[in-house]
Structure formats: structure tokens, C-alpha cells
Amino acid sequence: GHIVRNWKVRWFVLLQDKLLYYKIEGGKKEPSPKGRILLDGCTITCPCLEYENRPLVIKLKTKTNTDYFLECCSREERDSWALDITGAIHAGHPVQVQELHRMKNSFKLLENISLHHIVERMCNSSTGIRLTRNLEQGNRYKETFTGSALVDWLISHSFAVSRFEAVTLASMLMEENFIKPVGTRSTEATRYSELSEQFLDDSTALYMFAESSKKSISSKEELQFNISELSGTIVKQGFLMKQGHKRKNWKVRRFVLRAEPAFLHYYDPTKEENRPVGGFSLRGCLVSALEDNGVPAGVKGNVQGNLFKIITKKDIHYYIQASSKAERAQWIEAIKPLT
């Protein structure tokens, strides 16, 4: 409410340019709307974390600076309403609407992303993620947060633009031992799920900060690279997802394509040092797009499409995902002349 700041149940109807809301009497909505929210010039915030105990709130700010706070019944409903309202706000701009739907399954992460920086922000006493006591199957856990709360926090602080992308980031935080699962729900997911599905965007899955957020690198993981192969001119760089060779899980990597000599290196964005974790010569390589109708043999886990494959001269197969068909085509076009 605008005058009395209480919460009331209202029946909402979304039209092309406005959001109507009706009072409910005797289980039925009244024939005339109680009010309306004009969507022209509106801005939407979802998730909105202004109410600590109400994680399912959407905030609408009209162009006259009036704030509306709308609470949904579930995260799925909240995100569905937010997407449809955003689509109505941008109804006159079909390209923007198309971009919104593409972003739902986006994993195009920020440039120069640092997990250390994210964890520092998460630990901030005023703007960080809210730690609470949670009870699960008779066990009480202190200073925990839920999987869905972390996803909401990452989106609201602009570290991710979609839930899929936020889950990817959260999975990286868990793999690099910045956070750990606690309780049956989240712990079982790490044991029995595919690696790409081990972090749960769920309000019953509990997580906490790991005791040590710094992971030591073993000597086996340290790779030596010839200075000459890193001296080439950078032709293209950006974030892509790469399937691991042993565990077959998908990880976000920053790829750097160099010419003269022609090499493709990939970097771990969770590491602060600017050294590749892998790479190979492009001489004699084969690169090709993979069709999206079905998952090719040799590919496992959470595949969103836009796959391409590079086969090296030593017959090593690399499976890589781009965030769109256009991005995949750009990478293939950039790599082919260097093979």
C-alpha cells in the first residue's frame, strides 16, 4: 500500500501498456480495477532485495517516480511475471524483447570477472548476502544462505543477468571452494547429480562460506608455456564454455586467440594471475560447428546449444559452447584462417 505500508492480496491483469489490479471479495475479483500502473517509462527491479524477509518481490518505478512493490507466490511465478512485464515495457522495441528472451539462457559473463571480488562483496556486512540460521531435518545450521538467495543476490548486484548465468557463477564459487553445501538437500546434489547441476537454485538447498576461500594450486596443475606461443598478436578473445577432458564438466573459460604463431589459449577467470590453464597450436587443426538437434557423442552435461568442435593435429577433441549462433560463427571464422 502507498499510504498504509501493509501488504494486500490483489488480482493482477497485464495489458499491453498497463498493469491493472483488482480487489478480491469473497474469493472473486471485483468488476472494476482498484488501480493501474502505466508501463510506459517504467523500470523494473527483479529480484528486489529491499525487503529482507520477502525474497519474492518485484519493484516497479513509474516515470513519475512512484514505487510499486509486488510480491509473488514463488520464484518461478516472480520471474515469469518479471519477464512478461519487461516485455510489455519494451513492447514497441521487438529487438529488445528478443534480447530479453535470449538472456534467459545466457552465460556471457562480465569481462575480467574475479571470484575473489564477488566473495568480498558477498561478505560485506551492509550489502552482502544475508546469513541466517536454518533448520533442516532437525539439524540447525548457523550463518547459511539458500541457493536461490545466492542466485538472487548475484543478479541484483549485476554479476549475472539471468538465473542460468548466476547458477554458472555459483557453481564456479563452489568448485573453487569459496562456498560449500550444508544439509541433506545440497550435499546430495553434489554426490548424485551431473557436475553441471550440482549447485541448486532452490530455496531449500543450504550453503555457507568455506573456511578457506583460498585454494592452493598443486604442482601438477601448474602448466608451463613457451614464451613464444604467448607472443602472438591477439586476434580475438572472450568468454566461452569448455568441456573438461577427464570429468566432462562444463566450465567458463576466457579464450584468447593469437596469430603468428597461431595458438588458442584459455584462462580460468577464478584465478587472479593472468596465466593460461591450457592451450594448443592451431596448425593442422579442424574446426566445425555442431548441429543443435541432439547432443553429439562425446558431449555430456548441461548443453545449451551453439556448440563447436576443434580437433587438434594430435587428435585431441575440444568441445566448446558459445552464447549464440552468431558468436559461434564469429569464433569459427576467426580460427579457420589460422589452421
Side-chain angles (χ1 to χ4, degrees):
H2 288 291
I3 300 169
V4 181
R5 297 289 181 176
N6 55 345
W7 294 83
K8 291 182 178 178
V9 176
R10 294 288 183 256
W11 180 269
F12 280 82
V13 177
L14 176 62
L15 303 180
Q16 187 172 3
D17 60 346
K18 64 178 75 74
L19 192 60
L20 304 179
Y21 54 94
Y22 299 78
K23 286 182 71 174
I24 304 288
E25 292 291 342
K28 294 182 180 179
K29 74 179 179 72
E30 291 188 343
S32 300
K34 171 75 173 171
R36 64 179 183 170
I37 305 170
L38 298 177
L39 298 176
D40 179 42
C42 261
T43 57
I44 183 169
T45 304
C46 178
C48 172
L49 304 184
E50 291 187 31
Y51 291 89
E52 281 190 351
N53 297 320
R54 294 181 180 273
L56 305 178
V57 168
I58 296 169
K59 178 182 177 180
L60 284 175
K61 182 186 279 292
T62 67
K63 66 178 179 182
T64 58
N65 288 323
T66 304
D67 291 340
Y68 290 88
F69 295 92
L70 318 176
E71 185 175 36
C72 301
C73 299
S74 68
R75 279 181 167 78
E76 292 75 19
E77 187 181 48
R78 179 197 65 185
D79 294 341
S80 177
W81 271 101
L83 188 70
D84 290 338
I85 292 170
T86 306
I89 291 171
H90 298 293
H93 307 279
V95 174
Q96 283 181 288
V97 176
Q98 216 172 30
E99 179 68 8
L100 287 166
H101 284 277
R102 187 195 68 78
M103 281 166 57
K104 277 186 75 179
N105 288 322
S106 160
F107 59 82
K108 197 165 187 176
L109 299 175
L110 296 169
E111 293 290 333
N112 302 319
I113 195 163
S114 164
L115 292 194
H116 291 275
H117 174 62
I118 293 175
V119 173
E120 280 179 11
R121 291 280 301 276
M122 285 174 67
C123 293
N124 187 290
S125 57
S126 57
T127 59
I129 193 164
R130 186 166 172 257
L131 302 178
T132 59
R133 290 186 178 188
N134 282 284
L135 190 68
E136 187 194 79
Q137 296 184 353
N139 295 316
R140 188 177 295 277
Y141 300 98
K142 295 180 180 179
E143 297 189 329
T144 59
F145 46 86
T146 66
S148 52
L150 176 53
V151 170
D152 283 352
W153 187 89
L154 290 169
I155 294 171
S156 68
H157 287 77
S158 303
F159 288 113
V161 296
S162 69
R163 300 196 78 78
F164 176 75
E165 184 176 311
V167 167
T168 303
L169 257 183
S171 301
M172 291 163 66
L173 288 169
M174 193 166 68
E175 278 193 35
E176 299 302 324
N177 201 33
F178 286 103
I179 64 172
K180 65 179 181 180
V182 289
T184 308
R185 182 88 174 86
S186 57
T187 304
E188 284 188 349
T190 62
R191 293 175 182 165
Y192 304 116
S193 301
E194 288 279 341
L195 284 163
S196 57
E197 300 165 356
Q198 288 186 354
F199 179 85
L200 301 176
D201 178 7
D202 190 295
S203 58
T204 62
L206 302 180
Y207 298 88
M208 67 187 303
F209 290 113
E211 291 179 11
S212 172
S213 61
K214 290 185 178 179
K215 185 179 176 183
S216 60
I217 302 173
S218 69
S219 58
K220 290 181 180 179
E221 289 176 303
E222 291 182 352
L223 298 174
Q224 298 298 320
F225 291 93
N226 191 314
I227 294 173
S228 64
E229 69 183 68
L230 296 170
S231 64
T233 304
I234 294 177
V235 176
K236 186 175 177 60
Q237 60 181 314
F239 287 103
L240 298 165
M241 289 187 79
K242 173 189 164 296
Q243 181 178 260
H245 291 293
K246 294 179 181 178
R247 300 176 71 188
K248 303 298 182 185
N249 54 333
W250 290 91
K251 289 187 176 182
V252 176
R253 293 289 181 251
R254 180 170 63 88
F255 279 79
V256 177
L257 177 64
R258 292 182 172 90
E260 298 178 6
F263 274 84
L264 185 62
H265 293 98
Y266 47 95
Y267 297 74
D268 186 345
T270 69
K271 303 290 189 295
E272 291 186 326
E273 64 269 16
N274 191 32
R275 53 179 290 113
V277 293
F280 51 90
S281 169
L282 290 172
R283 187 182 296 276
C285 282
L286 296 174
V287 58
S288 60
L290 297 176
E291 295 301 323
D292 292 339
N293 53 346
V295 179
V299 176
K300 295 183 179 180
N302 191 6
V303 179
Q304 299 294 317
N306 308 315
L307 281 166
F308 64 99
K309 179 170 71 171
I310 300 174
I311 305 175
T312 68
K313 196 174 181 179
K314 296 179 179 178
D315 199 32
I316 299 172
H317 293 226
Y318 289 85
Y319 293 99
I320 301 168
Q321 288 189 64
S323 61
S324 66
K325 287 185 177 179
E327 187 180 48
R328 175 177 67 180
Q330 289 168 9
W331 273 97
I332 291 173
E333 286 171 15
I335 292 169
K336 272 188 175 178
L338 301 176
T339 59

mmCIF file of all heavy atoms in Angstrom, residues 1 6-13 20-25 29-30 32-35 69-71 73 77 81:
data_model
loop_
_atom_site.group_PDB
_atom_site.id
_atom_site.type_symbol
_atom_site.label_atom_id
_atom_site.label_comp_id
_atom_site.label_asym_id
_atom_site.label_seq_id
_atom_site.Cartn_x
_atom_site.Cartn_y
_atom_site.Cartn_z
ATOM 1 N N GLY A 1 0.811 -1.192 0.000
ATOM 2 C CA GLY A 1 0.000 0.000 0.000
ATOM 3 C C GLY A 1 0.854 1.256 0.000
ATOM 4 O O GLY A 1 1.988 1.255 0.462
ATOM 5 N N ASN A 6 1.047 -1.686 4.275
ATOM 6 C CA ASN A 6 0.741 -3.099 4.516
ATOM 7 C C ASN A 6 0.673 -3.839 3.180
ATOM 8 O O ASN A 6 0.663 -3.230 2.114
ATOM 9 C CB ASN A 6 -0.575 -3.230 5.290
ATOM 10 C CG ASN A 6 -1.726 -2.518 4.578
ATOM 11 O OD1 ASN A 6 -1.509 -1.720 3.674
ATOM 12 N ND2 ASN A 6 -2.940 -2.805 4.990
ATOM 13 N N TRP A 7 0.609 -5.155 3.285
ATOM 14 C CA TRP A 7 0.559 -5.994 2.081
ATOM 15 C C TRP A 7 -0.840 -6.553 1.923
ATOM 16 O O TRP A 7 -1.420 -7.085 2.873
ATOM 17 C CB TRP A 7 1.583 -7.129 2.181
ATOM 18 C CG TRP A 7 2.994 -6.639 2.176
ATOM 19 C CD1 TRP A 7 3.697 -6.175 3.249
ATOM 20 C CD2 TRP A 7 3.856 -6.526 1.047
ATOM 21 N NE1 TRP A 7 4.959 -5.788 2.868
ATOM 22 C CE2 TRP A 7 5.092 -5.989 1.521
ATOM 23 C CE3 TRP A 7 3.731 -6.823 -0.300
ATOM 24 C CZ2 TRP A 7 6.174 -5.752 0.675
ATOM 25 C CZ3 TRP A 7 4.817 -6.593 -1.132
ATOM 26 C CH2 TRP A 7 6.013 -6.063 -0.655
ATOM 27 N N LYS A 8 -1.396 -6.436 0.728
ATOM 28 C CA LYS A 8 -2.747 -6.934 0.459
ATOM 29 C C LYS A 8 -2.749 -7.778 -0.810
ATOM 30 O O LYS A 8 -2.001 -7.516 -1.745
ATOM 31 C CB LYS A 8 -3.724 -5.763 0.307
ATOM 32 C CG LYS A 8 -3.974 -5.008 1.609
ATOM 33 C CD LYS A 8 -4.982 -3.900 1.397
ATOM 34 C CE LYS A 8 -5.262 -3.170 2.718
ATOM 35 N NZ LYS A 8 -6.212 -2.057 2.543
ATOM 36 N N VAL A 9 -3.640 -8.776 -0.790
ATOM 37 C CA VAL A 9 -3.772 -9.626 -1.973
ATOM 38 C C VAL A 9 -4.554 -8.872 -3.045
ATOM 39 O O VAL A 9 -5.622 -8.314 -2.773
ATOM 40 C CB VAL A 9 -4.500 -10.940 -1.619
ATOM 41 C CG1 VAL A 9 -4.716 -11.778 -2.891
ATOM 42 C CG2 VAL A 9 -3.695 -11.734 -0.600
ATOM 43 N N ARG A 10 -4.031 -8.848 -4.236
ATOM 44 C CA ARG A 10 -4.695 -8.219 -5.378
ATOM 45 C C ARG A 10 -4.624 -9.149 -6.587
ATOM 46 O O ARG A 10 -3.678 -9.927 -6.734
ATOM 47 C CB ARG A 10 -4.028 -6.877 -5.724
ATOM 48 C CG ARG A 10 -4.189 -5.797 -4.642
ATOM 49 C CD ARG A 10 -5.606 -5.275 -4.580
ATOM 50 N NE ARG A 10 -5.759 -4.204 -3.613
ATOM 51 C CZ ARG A 10 -6.323 -4.350 -2.422
ATOM 52 N NH1 ARG A 10 -6.758 -5.559 -2.032
ATOM 53 N NH2 ARG A 10 -6.465 -3.332 -1.603
ATOM 54 N N TRP A 11 -5.620 -9.044 -7.428
ATOM 55 C CA TRP A 11 -5.654 -9.811 -8.684
ATOM 56 C C TRP A 11 -5.108 -8.903 -9.782
ATOM 57 O O TRP A 11 -5.639 -7.826 -10.021
ATOM 58 C CB TRP A 11 -7.072 -10.249 -9.012
ATOM 59 C CG TRP A 11 -7.166 -11.044 -10.285
ATOM 60 C CD1 TRP A 11 -7.384 -10.584 -11.549
ATOM 61 C CD2 TRP A 11 -7.019 -12.461 -10.413
ATOM 62 N NE1 TRP A 11 -7.380 -11.602 -12.459
ATOM 63 C CE2 TRP A 11 -7.163 -12.774 -11.787
ATOM 64 C CE3 TRP A 11 -6.777 -13.481 -9.497
ATOM 65 C CZ2 TRP A 11 -7.083 -14.073 -12.266
ATOM 66 C CZ3 TRP A 11 -6.699 -14.779 -9.990
ATOM 67 C CH2 TRP A 11 -6.853 -15.071 -11.348
ATOM 68 N N PHE A 12 -4.025 -9.351 -10.433
ATOM 69 C CA PHE A 12 -3.372 -8.512 -11.441
ATOM 70 C C PHE A 12 -3.675 -8.989 -12.849
ATOM 71 O O PHE A 12 -3.742 -10.197 -13.114
ATOM 72 C CB PHE A 12 -1.852 -8.517 -11.227
ATOM 73 C CG PHE A 12 -1.392 -7.593 -10.137
ATOM 74 C CD1 PHE A 12 -1.435 -7.988 -8.809
ATOM 75 C CD2 PHE A 12 -0.938 -6.320 -10.444
ATOM 76 C CE1 PHE A 12 -1.020 -7.134 -7.807
ATOM 77 C CE2 PHE A 12 -0.522 -5.458 -9.449
ATOM 78 C CZ PHE A 12 -0.562 -5.862 -8.127
ATOM 79 N N VAL A 13 -3.852 -8.032 -13.743
ATOM 80 C CA VAL A 13 -4.055 -8.305 -15.165
ATOM 81 C C VAL A 13 -3.062 -7.451 -15.949
ATOM 82 O O VAL A 13 -3.055 -6.212 -15.822
ATOM 83 C CB VAL A 13 -5.494 -7.975 -15.607
ATOM 84 C CG1 VAL A 13 -5.655 -8.190 -17.117
ATOM 85 C CG2 VAL A 13 -6.499 -8.843 -14.853
ATOM 86 N N LEU A 20 -3.181 -3.707 -14.444
ATOM 87 C CA LEU A 20 -4.366 -3.414 -13.634
ATOM 88 C C LEU A 20 -4.373 -4.313 -12.406
ATOM 89 O O LEU A 20 -3.929 -5.457 -12.462
ATOM 90 C CB LEU A 20 -5.643 -3.661 -14.441
ATOM 91 C CG LEU A 20 -5.798 -2.910 -15.770
ATOM 92 C CD1 LEU A 20 -7.104 -3.303 -16.442
ATOM 93 C CD2 LEU A 20 -5.738 -1.398 -15.563
ATOM 94 N N TYR A 21 -4.881 -3.787 -11.282
ATOM 95 C CA TYR A 21 -5.043 -4.647 -10.109
ATOM 96 C C TYR A 21 -6.417 -4.448 -9.486
ATOM 97 O O TYR A 21 -6.970 -3.345 -9.468
ATOM 98 C CB TYR A 21 -3.919 -4.450 -9.084
ATOM 99 C CG TYR A 21 -3.674 -3.046 -8.607
ATOM 100 C CD1 TYR A 21 -4.275 -2.560 -7.439
ATOM 101 C CD2 TYR A 21 -2.807 -2.209 -9.303
ATOM 102 C CE1 TYR A 21 -4.014 -1.273 -6.993
ATOM 103 C CE2 TYR A 21 -2.542 -0.926 -8.860
ATOM 104 C CZ TYR A 21 -3.146 -0.456 -7.708
ATOM 105 O OH TYR A 21 -2.901 0.822 -7.273
ATOM 106 N N TYR A 22 -6.999 -5.571 -9.028
ATOM 107 C CA TYR A 22 -8.377 -5.629 -8.539
ATOM 108 C C TYR A 22 -8.406 -6.119 -7.097
ATOM 109 O O TYR A 22 -7.598 -6.942 -6.702
ATOM 110 C CB TYR A 22 -9.212 -6.596 -9.396
ATOM 111 C CG TYR A 22 -9.334 -6.224 -10.852
ATOM 112 C CD1 TYR A 22 -8.285 -6.457 -11.743
ATOM 113 C CD2 TYR A 22 -10.511 -5.668 -11.346
ATOM 114 C CE1 TYR A 22 -8.399 -6.137 -13.082
ATOM 115 C CE2 TYR A 22 -10.644 -5.355 -12.695
ATOM 116 C CZ TYR A 22 -9.577 -5.582 -13.552
ATOM 117 O OH TYR A 22 -9.709 -5.267 -14.882
ATOM 118 N N LYS A 23 -9.396 -5.635 -6.342
ATOM 119 C CA LYS A 23 -9.629 -6.166 -5.001
ATOM 120 C C LYS A 23 -10.305 -7.522 -5.116
ATOM 121 O O LYS A 23 -11.024 -7.803 -6.084
ATOM 122 C CB LYS A 23 -10.523 -5.221 -4.194
ATOM 123 C CG LYS A 23 -9.840 -3.950 -3.725
ATOM 124 C CD LYS A 23 -10.775 -3.079 -2.894
ATOM 125 C CE LYS A 23 -11.043 -3.696 -1.525
ATOM 126 N NZ LYS A 23 -11.834 -2.779 -0.663
ATOM 127 N N ILE A 24 -10.059 -8.376 -4.125
ATOM 128 C CA ILE A 24 -10.686 -9.691 -4.060
ATOM 129 C C ILE A 24 -11.724 -9.671 -2.941
ATOM 130 O O ILE A 24 -11.407 -9.361 -1.797
ATOM 131 C CB ILE A 24 -9.646 -10.799 -3.776
ATOM 132 C CG1 ILE A 24 -8.526 -10.784 -4.825
ATOM 133 C CG2 ILE A 24 -10.304 -12.168 -3.694
ATOM 134 C CD1 ILE A 24 -8.934 -11.274 -6.185
ATOM 135 N N GLU A 25 -12.968 -9.985 -3.282
ATOM 136 C CA GLU A 25 -14.039 -10.066 -2.285
ATOM 137 C C GLU A 25 -14.754 -11.399 -2.446
ATOM 138 O O GLU A 25 -15.231 -11.714 -3.536
ATOM 139 C CB GLU A 25 -15.041 -8.911 -2.441
ATOM 140 C CG GLU A 25 -14.488 -7.528 -2.095
ATOM 141 C CD GLU A 25 -14.217 -7.364 -0.619
ATOM 142 O OE1 GLU A 25 -14.759 -8.174 0.172
ATOM 143 O OE2 GLU A 25 -13.451 -6.443 -0.244
ATOM 144 N N LYS A 29 -12.689 -11.490 -7.912
ATOM 145 C CA LYS A 29 -12.220 -10.124 -8.121
ATOM 146 C C LYS A 29 -13.396 -9.214 -8.426
ATOM 147 O O LYS A 29 -14.382 -9.621 -9.070
ATOM 148 C CB LYS A 29 -11.186 -10.063 -9.242
ATOM 149 C CG LYS A 29 -11.701 -10.204 -10.669
ATOM 150 C CD LYS A 29 -10.541 -10.096 -11.647
ATOM 151 C CE LYS A 29 -11.002 -10.249 -13.092
ATOM 152 N NZ LYS A 29 -11.757 -9.096 -13.595
ATOM 153 N N GLU A 30 -13.320 -7.997 -7.954
ATOM 154 C CA GLU A 30 -14.363 -7.015 -8.224
ATOM 155 C C GLU A 30 -14.324 -6.633 -9.701
ATOM 156 O O GLU A 30 -13.283 -6.710 -10.350
ATOM 157 C CB GLU A 30 -14.160 -5.783 -7.341
ATOM 158 C CG GLU A 30 -14.415 -6.054 -5.864
ATOM 159 C CD GLU A 30 -14.411 -4.786 -5.031
ATOM 160 O OE1 GLU A 30 -13.894 -3.754 -5.521
ATOM 161 O OE2 GLU A 30 -14.907 -4.833 -3.892
ATOM 162 N N SER A 32 -14.496 -3.738 -11.290
ATOM 163 C CA SER A 32 -13.699 -2.568 -11.671
ATOM 164 C C SER A 32 -12.332 -2.617 -10.990
ATOM 165 O O SER A 32 -12.232 -3.004 -9.822
ATOM 166 C CB SER A 32 -14.406 -1.281 -11.265
ATOM 167 O OG SER A 32 -15.663 -1.188 -11.907
ATOM 168 N N PRO A 33 -11.270 -2.212 -11.714
ATOM 169 C CA PRO A 33 -9.936 -2.251 -11.099
ATOM 170 C C PRO A 33 -9.800 -1.255 -9.961
ATOM 171 O O PRO A 33 -10.358 -0.164 -9.983
ATOM 172 C CB PRO A 33 -9.003 -1.902 -12.259
ATOM 173 C CG PRO A 33 -9.841 -1.216 -13.277
ATOM 174 C CD PRO A 33 -11.223 -1.746 -13.114
ATOM 175 N N LYS A 34 -9.033 -1.647 -8.958
ATOM 176 C CA LYS A 34 -8.735 -0.772 -7.827
ATOM 177 C C LYS A 34 -7.713 0.286 -8.237
ATOM 178 O O LYS A 34 -7.696 1.406 -7.721
ATOM 179 C CB LYS A 34 -8.161 -1.631 -6.689
ATOM 180 C CG LYS A 34 -7.602 -0.861 -5.502
ATOM 181 C CD LYS A 34 -8.681 -0.300 -4.641
ATOM 182 C CE LYS A 34 -8.085 0.324 -3.374
ATOM 183 N NZ LYS A 34 -9.116 1.072 -2.623
ATOM 184 N N GLY A 35 -6.835 -0.058 -9.162
ATOM 185 C CA GLY A 35 -5.819 0.875 -9.627
ATOM 186 C C GLY A 35 -5.117 0.346 -10.857
ATOM 187 O O GLY A 35 -5.398 -0.749 -11.346
ATOM 188 N N PHE A 69 5.660 -2.179 -5.059
ATOM 189 C CA PHE A 69 6.297 -3.428 -4.652
ATOM 190 C C PHE A 69 5.260 -4.545 -4.748
ATOM 191 O O PHE A 69 4.216 -4.492 -4.091
ATOM 192 C CB PHE A 69 6.841 -3.315 -3.221
ATOM 193 C CG PHE A 69 7.953 -2.315 -3.088
ATOM 194 C CD1 PHE A 69 7.697 -1.002 -2.751
ATOM 195 C CD2 PHE A 69 9.266 -2.691 -3.326
ATOM 196 C CE1 PHE A 69 8.727 -0.067 -2.637
ATOM 197 C CE2 PHE A 69 10.309 -1.774 -3.213
ATOM 198 C CZ PHE A 69 10.036 -0.460 -2.871
ATOM 199 N N LEU A 70 5.541 -5.536 -5.587
ATOM 200 C CA LEU A 70 4.603 -6.639 -5.832
ATOM 201 C C LEU A 70 5.265 -7.940 -5.402
ATOM 202 O O LEU A 70 6.375 -8.248 -5.833
ATOM 203 C CB LEU A 70 4.245 -6.712 -7.319
ATOM 204 C CG LEU A 70 3.977 -5.379 -8.030
ATOM 205 C CD1 LEU A 70 3.739 -5.600 -9.501
ATOM 206 C CD2 LEU A 70 2.793 -4.671 -7.402
ATOM 207 N N GLU A 71 4.571 -8.697 -4.561
ATOM 208 C CA GLU A 71 5.133 -9.958 -4.074
ATOM 209 C C GLU A 71 4.411 -11.137 -4.718
ATOM 210 O O GLU A 71 3.176 -11.176 -4.760
ATOM 211 C CB GLU A 71 5.015 -10.058 -2.549
ATOM 212 C CG GLU A 71 5.694 -11.301 -1.995
ATOM 213 C CD GLU A 71 5.695 -11.342 -0.474
ATOM 214 O OE1 GLU A 71 4.711 -10.892 0.131
ATOM 215 O OE2 GLU A 71 6.683 -11.840 0.092
ATOM 216 N N CYS A 73 4.101 -15.582 -5.390
ATOM 217 C CA CYS A 73 3.964 -16.773 -4.535
ATOM 218 C C CYS A 73 5.136 -17.736 -4.662
ATOM 219 O O CYS A 73 5.303 -18.617 -3.824
ATOM 220 C CB CYS A 73 2.662 -17.503 -4.874
ATOM 221 S SG CYS A 73 1.197 -16.503 -4.600
ATOM 222 N N GLU A 77 7.052 -17.998 -10.451
ATOM 223 C CA GLU A 77 5.991 -17.041 -10.792
ATOM 224 C C GLU A 77 6.565 -15.622 -10.857
ATOM 225 O O GLU A 77 6.236 -14.850 -11.757
ATOM 226 C CB GLU A 77 4.868 -17.120 -9.752
ATOM 227 C CG GLU A 77 3.652 -16.286 -10.125
ATOM 228 C CD GLU A 77 2.561 -16.357 -9.070
ATOM 229 O OE1 GLU A 77 2.874 -16.188 -7.876
ATOM 230 O OE2 GLU A 77 1.408 -16.570 -9.453
ATOM 231 N N TRP A 81 6.433 -13.345 -14.233
ATOM 232 C CA TRP A 81 5.795 -12.020 -14.244
ATOM 233 C C TRP A 81 6.808 -10.957 -14.667
ATOM 234 O O TRP A 81 6.499 -10.069 -15.469
ATOM 235 C CB TRP A 81 5.224 -11.673 -12.871
ATOM 236 C CG TRP A 81 3.808 -12.134 -12.668
ATOM 237 C CD1 TRP A 81 3.397 -13.244 -11.984
ATOM 238 C CD2 TRP A 81 2.622 -11.495 -13.140
ATOM 239 N NE1 TRP A 81 2.026 -13.330 -12.010
ATOM 240 C CE2 TRP A 81 1.522 -12.271 -12.710
ATOM 241 C CE3 TRP A 81 2.380 -10.341 -13.882
ATOM 242 C CZ2 TRP A 81 0.203 -11.933 -12.994
ATOM 243 C CZ3 TRP A 81 1.066 -9.997 -14.176
ATOM 244 C CH2 TRP A 81 -0.008 -10.790 -13.741
#
